[in-house]
Amino acid sequence: MPQLAIDATCLPQYDKLDGPTRERLRAVTRKFREMSWESLLAHPDLRIRRLPHGQDPRIRTFRLSDTWTGVMLAPESGETFLLVHLLPKESAESWAADQRHDVNSVMGTLERRDAAALAPVVPAEPSAPPRPAGAAPAATDPAPAGAAAGTAPSGTAGAPAGGAPAPEPGGLFDRVTDRELERLGVDPEIRGFCRSLKDAAELRAWRPALPQDQYEVLSALAEGHSVQRVLQEVVAPRRPRIGAVATDDYDTAIRHTRERVIVVGDDQEVEDVLAGEFNAWRVFLHPKQRDLAYRAHFSGPAKVSGGPGTGKTVVALHRVKFLAEHLPLDGRVLLTSFTNALVESLKRNLALLLPDELLDDVDVVTTDKLALDVVKEARPDVRLRTDTRGLFANIARQHRLDFPPDFLYSEYRHVVMAQGIGTLEGYLDPDARRGRTAPLDTDRRRAVWHAISEARARMRTGRALAAEEIHAEAARLLAERSEKPYTNLVVDEAQDLHPMQWRTLRAAVAHGPNDMFITGDNRQRIYDNTVSFKQLGIGVVGRSYPLRVNYRTTEEILTWADGIMRGRVPNELGEAAPEPPGSVRCVLSGPPPEVHGAADEPDELDALAERVRGWLAEGIAPGDVCVTTRTNRLRDSVAAHLRARSLPAAIFNPGRHSVTDEAGSVRVTTMHGVKGLEFRAVAVTGATAAALPLMDHVTSPDIDENQHRADLDAQRSLLYVACTRARERLYVSWHGEPSPFLP
C-alpha cells in the first residue's frame, strides 16, 4: 500500500498557499496514498515529470496548480513517497534539479544536499576505487535508468588529486582525521569539501547546500567539541535501533528521519502536519529531543537545560505523553510551571498532543495551585495572602528595626524560607546567612528572628498565608502521606521556582525511576530565586542533559540578544557551579535586528507603527507579530496608538487568550506575558534606562549587595527573554536614554 511522508521544508510554504491550492494539495496527497505508481505516472492532471538533467533521478515534480509545483522523492524500492517541497512554478524545476537525496549509512537518516552547488568545490579523483555491492555509481559514471546519481568519488579527503589543489594548512577541521569524520557519518564527498574550509563563518554560509545531519556534525566540531562528544550528542541519538540502514534503503531511511519527516496516514494527519509551523513540534523532533522525551528509564530525577529555542518545552510535553502512555493503574502525571500564563499555554499544547483518555490522567497546574489545593484539603479556611511585603514592613516598623523597609521580607524569603529554617538556633547558625552581604551579629539576628516569627504568627492567626507558608505546609502534609498524589512529575521553566516550591514538588511524588523530569534555563530566570537541587533531595548527577541546537530563532537575533547578557556565564540549573561550556547552534538565519532611538515617546510609537505596518506589507500575518513592553501602562498606550494608526492590534493576555485567538490582530503584551511564546516578528518597545531596570523591583544594595545584583540580572534576563521570542524579525526601540542592558 503506498504511503506518503512530508518533509518539514513544506511547512512554511503551505502558509503561502491560497485556499483552493491547499484543497488541491490535500486531494493530490490522497492520490499518492491511494494509487499505484503506474497510475500516478499516467494521471493526466498531475503531470509527474522526471528532470532530464537533475542531480537525483528519484526526484519528480508534479502540478499542484497553475502557479505552484510540488517536488517529491520517489525511491525505486519501497512504497513511501516523500513530499519534499512546495514551490512557485517558475522556480521549482531549477531547485529540484540541483538537489540530491542520500541515505547516511552511519545515522540511517535521509539527507538532502545541493549537489549542483557542491560539485565545483568537491575535490575530484583521477579514478575511483571499486564500489561495494549496492553502492550508488560515482558522479562521473553515466547513471543507468532508475539508478542513483550517486555519491562523489571516495578517496583520501585532505589530499585531493585530479587537478584539485591541496588545501592550505590551517583548515577548520585539521584536528579531525578522515577516520574520525567517517565514524561521525561524514561521507567522502563532504570530507573532501570540508578540508577546504578555513573558519566557522564559511561553514555556516554553506549550510543550505550541505546534508542536514552532516552539517550538525561539522558545526559541533567547528565549535571545538571533541569527536567523542559529537559522537554522543549528535550521532548516537540519530542511530537507528533497528541496526544499520543500507544506502539504497530509502524507504527505511525516510521513516527513520523523524526530525524532518513524518509519515501520514489520512487526510486529517496531512492537515495537522501542514497546518503551520506553530504545530510542527508535535511531529518533528530532533533525535536528542526524542531520545530524552521517550527514554524508557531514568533511574531518578532527570534535568534538561538549554538556551531559548532549543525545545525544552517540546521535550517536556512529549515526556508527559510518554509517561501518560505508560502509567500504572491509578497513576497520575503532574505537569507544572511557575505562572498561570505558562500553565494555560501548556494545557493548550498538551491537548494538541494527547487524546482525551490520556489527558484525563494528567494534571496541569501551577506549583502554587498544587500547594494551595493540598493545604485546603486539611484546612479549607486558608487563603493566599497578597500583601506579604507590606505586612513585613509594618512589623519592622513596630519592632523599630534599623534596616531598610524591605530588609525583613528579604531575610524571610531568601534565608528563612529558602533554607527551611524553623528555629532560632537554625537562624543563628553561622552558615545560615551564607551569601548575604549585610552583616548581623547575634543580637541583631535575634531581633530579626523575633520580628519574622511575629509576622508568621499573624499570618497563621488570620489564616491568610504567604505563598512560602502555603508551600511549607503543603510539603509537610505531603511528606506524611504514604501514597503520593503523583506517579510522575514534569516541571517546565524550572529556573523561576523558589526552594519552598521545590520542596512541595519533591514531596508530591515518591522517589524512584522516572519520578521527576525538569526543564529550564538560568539565562531566562526572571525572578530572584536560587536553588540547590542537592540540598532539596533532588539528585540529578549523571542525569543532566544539555540541548544545544536552536530551531526557533535566527542566528542574527540570538547573537545580538547574547550581547544583552554581556558574556555572563549562568550557573547550571539547580547548582552553584557555572554552566559547562558549549554554545547553542542556530539552524536559521535572517536579517539582523533593527534598533531605533527616538527623542520622546510619541516619536517612538510613530516609528513602531511604521515598523509594524512594514512587516504586514511584507506578508507577515498580524497574528504572527507581537509587541512587548515593560509595563501595563505602556502596553495599553501602544495598543491604542497602533489602532489609532489603522493597524489591527489587541491586548494579549496569555493567561486568558490562546495564541490562536485574535489571529487577525497584532498582539500587544508585557515582557512577562510573552514568556514561553514565539512569533515570527517581535517588537520590544520602551527599552529605556528608566524601565530596564525598573528600580522599584530591585533590592537596594543597602539591604544586600548580592540580592541587588541578582535582581538586576533578573531584569536583564527579562529583556533577553523578550528579544528571543522572535523567530525571524526583531525590532528594539526606546526614547530618551536607552537601557544600559542593550548591546
Side-chain angles (χ1 to χ4, degrees):
M1 182 70 180
Q3 287 192 290
L4 176 70
I6 298 176
D7 192 295
T9 307
C10 299
L11 270 59
Q13 297 297 93
Y14 184 79
D15 286 343
K16 301 174 184 178
L17 304 181
D18 58 29
T21 306
R22 291 186 181 190
E23 182 56 41
R24 164 79 176 163
L25 176 61
R26 287 191 286 271
V28 169
T29 59
R30 194 177 307 122
K31 290 182 173 68
F32 280 118
R33 300 195 312 275
E34 297 174 351
M35 298 174 65
S36 68
W37 179 230
E38 292 75 16
S39 299
L40 289 169
L41 286 175
H43 199 288
D45 197 30
L46 289 178
R47 303 178 194 174
I48 296 176
R49 297 185 64 243
R50 180 199 295 267
L51 303 172
H53 304 293
Q55 297 283 340
D56 190 340
R58 306 172 190 87
I59 288 182
R60 306 286 198 278
T61 61
F62 62 91
R63 178 181 179 273
L64 186 56
S65 70
D66 290 339
T67 55
W68 283 87
T69 294
V71 181
M72 71 173 181
L73 185 72
E76 294 87 356
S77 62
E79 295 185 310
T80 305
F81 300 104
L82 176 63
L83 181 61
V84 174
H85 212 347
L86 307 169
L87 289 164
K89 180 180 178 181
E90 63 272 10
S91 60
E93 288 201 3
S94 61
W95 181 88
D98 291 344
Q99 309 302 306
R100 191 179 87 225
H101 289 78
D102 301 292
V103 177
N104 188 302
S105 60
V106 171
M107 291 179 266
T109 54
L110 184 73
E111 297 179 305
R112 184 174 68 242
R113 72 189 73 197
D114 190 331
L118 288 169
V121 294
V122 171
E125 285 287 335
S127 62
R131 295 189 301 273
T140 53
D141 293 343
T151 57
S154 58
T156 306
E168 299 176 6
L172 181 59
F173 299 103
D174 282 356
R175 68 182 178 86
V176 189
T177 68
D178 285 348
R179 180 62 184 273
E180 288 171 328
L181 288 172
E182 183 180 9
R183 286 178 61 210
L184 295 172
V186 181
D187 64 41
E189 179 180 312
I190 303 304
R191 291 203 297 269
F193 161 76
C194 75
R195 293 300 182 192
S196 67
L197 299 178
K198 300 302 179 189
D199 55 42
E202 192 177 358
L203 172 64
R204 288 193 295 271
W206 276 98
R207 178 186 170 273
L210 294 173
Q212 296 100 317
D213 295 315
Q214 295 183 58
Y215 175 80
E216 292 269 350
V217 167
L218 296 176
S219 180
L221 290 171
E223 291 178 6
H225 298 323
S226 69
V227 170
Q228 187 61 30
R229 180 169 174 177
V230 177
L231 196 63
Q232 292 173 346
E233 293 190 4
V234 180
V235 178
R238 287 170 164 79
R239 281 178 173 160
R241 292 181 172 85
I242 59 175
V245 177
T247 55
D248 61 351
D249 189 355
Y250 280 71
D251 196 72
T252 299
I254 287 172
R255 295 168 182 277
H256 179 63
T257 312
R258 292 182 292 182
E259 174 187 358
R260 300 182 293 274
V261 172
I262 182 67
V263 178
V264 292
D266 55 40
D267 288 355
Q268 186 57 53
E269 286 189 2
V270 171
E271 179 65 24
D272 286 346
V273 172
L274 291 173
E277 290 179 285
F278 179 74
N279 291 332
W281 57 268
R282 286 192 282 161
V283 287
F284 297 109
L285 282 182
H286 185 280
K288 181 67 173 288
Q289 295 172 338
R290 185 172 292 278
D291 172 60
L292 293 171
Y294 290 95
R295 186 174 298 188
H297 181 87
F298 291 103
S299 58
K303 179 184 71 175
V304 176
S305 58
T310 55
K312 299 179 297 298
T313 298
V314 170
V315 172
L317 288 164
H318 279 269
R319 186 62 182 172
V320 171
K321 180 175 185 288
F322 170 82
L323 294 170
E325 290 172 339
H326 295 83
L327 273 177
L329 289 176
D330 299 324
R332 291 200 69 74
V333 179
L334 171 67
L335 173 60
T336 187
S337 192
F338 184 76
T339 66
N340 289 324
L342 289 171
V343 161
E344 289 304 311
S345 177
L346 291 172
K347 282 182 181 177
R348 289 188 291 265
N349 287 331
L350 196 65
L352 296 173
L353 189 62
L354 267 64
D356 290 344
E357 60 269 22
L358 292 183
L359 278 175
D360 290 341
D361 294 327
V362 181
D363 288 339
V364 189
V365 297
T366 65
T367 311
D368 286 350
K369 177 70 163 56
L370 166 68
L372 188 59
D373 287 348
V374 169
V375 173
K376 276 185 169 293
E377 281 185 36
R379 298 176 58 190
D381 56 343
V382 165
R383 66 184 190 279
L384 182 66
R385 175 179 285 274
T386 58
D387 63 340
T388 308
R389 189 184 297 268
L391 169 66
F392 276 90
N394 288 333
I395 294 288
R397 283 192 293 270
Q398 291 169 16
H399 281 248
R400 298 182 179 179
L401 298 177
D402 56 344
F403 300 114
D406 276 348
F407 177 84
L408 194 65
Y409 177 67
S410 178
E411 198 75 3
Y412 162 77
R413 190 168 191 275
H414 295 294
V415 178
V416 174
M417 299 308 291
Q419 297 190 46
I421 297 173
T423 64
L424 172 61
E425 290 71 23
Y427 186 62
L428 292 177
D429 186 285
D431 291 331
R433 302 186 71 253
R434 185 184 297 275
R436 306 288 285 177
T437 60
L440 294 179
D441 59 25
T442 300
D443 289 341
R444 300 184 89 191
R445 283 203 199 190
R446 289 180 184 276
V448 168
W449 177 260
H450 290 315
I452 290 175
S453 297
E454 181 176 333
R456 299 182 72 181
R458 287 195 192 181
M459 286 191 278
R460 288 192 295 272
T461 300
R463 300 180 181 84
L465 302 182
E468 294 83 1
E469 299 291 337
I470 296 284
H471 280 280
E473 183 64 9
R476 184 187 67 79
L477 292 169
L478 289 168
E480 294 174 351
R481 294 190 188 180
S482 57
E483 294 292 328
K484 303 299 184 182
Y486 296 104
T487 316
N488 314 94
L489 186 152
V490 177
V491 186
D492 190 38
E493 300 287 352
Q495 69 276 356
D496 285 322
L497 295 180
H498 185 274
M500 282 310 309
Q501 293 171 309
W502 283 110
R503 291 188 179 94
T504 297
L505 295 178
R506 178 64 277 183
V509 61
H511 291 256
N514 297 335
D515 54 350
M516 302 181 76
F517 191 85
I518 300 164
T519 69
D521 174 24
N522 272 351
R523 293 176 189 80
Q524 301 181 65
R525 189 174 68 196
I526 62 175
Y527 298 97
D528 56 352
N529 300 319
T530 56
V531 170
S532 167
F533 284 162
K534 181 179 179 181
Q535 292 179 3
L536 294 165
I538 302 172
V540 294
V541 175
R543 294 183 297 276
S544 295
Y545 308 93
L547 296 177
R548 301 187 186 280
V549 183
N550 182 307
Y551 298 91
R552 181 184 69 211
T553 308
T554 65
E555 182 175 5
E556 290 78 4
I557 291 174
L558 191 63
T559 300
W560 187 88
D562 282 343
I564 296 172
M565 305 308 288
R566 298 288 199 279
R568 285 168 167 77
V569 179
N571 282 347
E572 180 73 5
L573 182 66
E575 300 179 25
E579 190 176 79
S583 58
V584 170
R585 302 189 300 279
C586 294
V587 300
L588 303 175
S589 60
E594 301 175 66
V595 295
H596 177 76
D600 53 33
E601 185 174 303
D603 285 347
E604 182 185 0
L605 294 183
D606 284 343
L608 170 68
E610 291 310 304
R611 177 63 277 174
V612 171
R613 195 183 307 280
W615 282 338
L616 300 182
E618 292 171 20
I620 300 177
D624 287 331
V625 176
C626 182
V627 181
T628 72
T629 67
R630 181 65 180 91
T631 64
N632 289 331
R633 181 202 67 79
L634 185 54
R635 176 202 64 189
D636 296 346
S637 178
V638 165
H641 191 88
L642 293 179
R643 289 193 293 265
R645 297 300 186 275
S646 301
L647 290 165
I651 292 175
F652 177 64
N653 184 332
R656 297 197 304 267
H657 304 149
S658 165
V659 290
T660 57
D661 296 341
E662 302 288 350
S665 299
V666 172
R667 329 298 178 88
V668 186
T669 188
T670 63
M671 292 181 181
H672 284 89
V674 81
K675 185 176 176 64
L677 303 178
E678 61 180 73
F679 299 89
R680 286 185 65 187
V682 171
V684 178
T685 192
T688 66
L692 288 160
L694 202 61
M695 295 308 294
D696 289 348
H697 295 255
V698 176
T699 300
S700 167
D702 294 337
I703 295 177
D704 189 272
E705 292 178 4
N706 288 342
Q707 191 60 50
H708 173 77
R709 287 192 292 269
D711 290 346
L712 287 176
D713 283 345
Q715 296 211 34
R716 184 187 299 275
S717 292
L718 182 62
L719 177 61
Y720 177 80
V721 166
C723 292
T724 54
R725 302 307 94 193
R727 297 206 309 260
E728 302 170 20
R729 310 294 288 272
L730 174 63
Y731 174 85
V732 181
S733 69
W734 65 89
H735 61 272
E737 185 180 354
S739 166
F741 297 156
L742 291 173

